[in-house]
Amino acid sequence: MGTKSNCEGILVFIPAYNCAPQIGRTLLQLKGHEEFFREVIVVDNRSTDNTADAAIAAAPQLDLPVRVVRNWDNLGLGGSHKSAFAYAARQGYDYIVVLHGDDQGSIRELLPHIERGEHRTVDCLLGARFMPGSKLEGYSAFRTFGNEVFNLLFSAAAGKRLYDLGSGLNMYRVDAVRNLRYQGFADNLTFNYYMILATVWRRWKIRFFPISWREDDQVSNVKLTRQSMQVLKLLATFVFRRKYFLEGQHTVRAPEDYRFDAIYNSAGSMRPPTQPSRQPDVPR
């Protein structure tokens, strides 16, 4: 693999919830590829297991600054994105990579696109589990069919072929995100659906790329029936109340509520872990 430009700042953001068995493997995906990135931030959304400790244990194996933080409250998967997006903008990063902490996707499938400089020609690179060239391992036929149906429905509503509504491997240009009204999007698992529809409507340059996706020791926390109804309602809002969808407030939180506490960085030490105040939404 080649090396990145010295003037380019790429942050890797890893949202994590109750993935202690997988978070170390996820971090070690970056080993040997540190030259592409400037920093890694693991955002623990109030895990009830030792996810943060496992991340801290793996971090010294990387030749790369690693920061482990914990959301101050239950912010959900979308809230973790908002915190990380704000952090990337404050720190002056050019790009932010999203890699879910449950080790279902592989950063190696994004690296060739970075090496070729494709990220510089688009606003986002989106990993797609359901496009030609992708590979699914341990993913049920029922869930695959359901995702493909939703992909087609969203594609029809957006007027653009969408191969995935939100995988766990994406890359965004920070300046593009900064100009998107993402702070008003829902904080739960539907955040990515708001993102994809809003970015299409704002005429972002979007490029999908096929990825491998596996389920082995991961535990899915998605309630399929409830999630499906939420997604259909969301899509109807986009079709029939587009201005409200794009500019409305779909969360009760203010922008300043999306923050976290640092519990570890590669040059520091860990604070005593705290227990969550209530059960959060989870990434997978």
Side-chain angles (χ1 to χ4, degrees), residues 11-17 19 23 26-28 30 40-45 62 66-67 69 80 84 96-103:
L11 172 70
V12 180
F13 154 53
I14 302 179
Y17 174 73
C19 52
I23 189 64
T26 302
L27 279 166
L28 291 181
L30 303 171
V40 180
I41 182 170
V42 178
V43 180
D44 177 27
N45 192 35
L62 296 180
V66 177
R67 185 184 301 268
V69 304
S80 293
I96 182 170
V97 171
V98 181
L99 175 65
H100 281 197
D102 55 10
D103 193 41

Side-chain angles (χ1 to χ4, degrees), residues 17-22 44 46-53 70 275:
Y17 174 73
N18 278 6
C19 52
Q22 301 90 18
D44 177 27
R46 312 297 295 186
S47 293
T48 59
D49 66 0
N50 64 331
T51 292
D53 293 340
R70 180 177 287 122
Q275 293 301 313

